[in-house]
Amino acid sequence: MKKNNYLLLCLLLCVLLQSCYGYVTSVDYTAIKNEKCNEKSKSIYLFFEGEELTFNYEKLGVLEVEGDQYASNSEVLEELKREAWGKCANGLIKIKSGYKEREQGVAFVSETEETYSSKFYTAIAVKISLNEDFIAKYGEGLPVTFKEK
């Protein structure tokens, strides 16, 4: 009987620990093209919404990153770049940002629910066809300084 109680208690603790939500950065990636990634780029290019895109690229996926309650703009943007790089992208196009309401708390415990304004970024992850003309116009890109998770 003690063993059953112990197992039940362990199961309950696992469920409670897994029932927290909204306390971490949220990442959503929708693949447009599934491509095997053999070599990751050493730099990444950023193009915000409204910027002219006069170069060739291949769309890989749509990416959205929402920061946690205390995340700075730079932390959320850095996560957007890291996630794109992890999907073998060397560029992000049509980058948009803003704030959205987000909730955090413990599931099934309404007293812990809290709403906060979260910084978010959305973009399309792309593989840019790098050539001499592109590099002459846009430079070498932003160096990748993070490691894969």
Side-chain angles (χ1 to χ4, degrees):
M1 186 68 174
K2 283 185 179 184
K3 190 174 187 177
N4 287 342
N5 287 340
Y6 178 73
L7 289 174
L8 186 60
L9 179 62
C10 286
L11 180 63
L12 181 62
L13 283 173
C14 287
V15 168
L16 286 175
L17 289 174
Q18 293 296 320
S19 63
C20 295
Y21 61 92
Y23 289 99
V24 296
T25 298
S26 168
V27 176
D28 185 34
Y29 179 76
T30 305
I32 295 172
K33 180 176 185 180
N34 289 321
E35 185 175 295
K36 187 172 182 176
C37 184
N38 295 325
E39 186 178 331
K40 293 195 169 68
S41 179
K42 293 180 178 25
S43 64
I44 193 160
Y45 295 86
L46 305 181
F47 297 93
F48 289 83
E49 188 174 48
E51 289 187 73
E52 189 175 359
L53 304 173
T54 58
F55 51 85
N56 295 324
Y57 59 87
E58 180 181 6
K59 293 179 184 176
L60 301 177
V62 178
L63 193 55
E64 180 174 18
V65 176
E66 297 175 7
D68 64 52
Q69 185 174 9
Y70 303 105
S72 68
N73 289 342
S74 60
E75 289 170 331
V76 180
L77 183 59
E78 190 70 11
E79 187 64 23
L80 183 79
K81 294 187 307 187
R82 180 183 294 109
E83 290 294 329
W85 176 79
K87 303 296 185 196
C88 243
N90 65 354
L92 287 162
I93 63 171
K94 300 186 179 187
I95 300 170
K96 294 186 257 183
S97 68
Y99 290 90
K100 63 170 51 173
E101 294 296 308
R102 208 169 159 206
E103 292 182 354
Q104 67 182 14
V106 178
F108 313 116
V109 183
S110 59
E111 295 82 26
T112 64
E113 288 181 7
E114 180 181 0
T115 302
Y116 63 93
S117 185
S118 169
K119 180 69 176 179
F120 76 88
Y121 282 93
T122 62
I124 300 172
V126 297
K127 187 121 191 166
I128 298 171
S129 300
L130 300 176
N131 57 39
E132 289 178 10
D133 293 336
F134 180 89
I135 293 171
K137 185 172 183 177
Y138 298 106
E140 296 293 327
L142 300 172
V144 172
T145 57
F146 33 76
K147 302 243 186 292
E148 206 165 352
K149 288 183 179 179

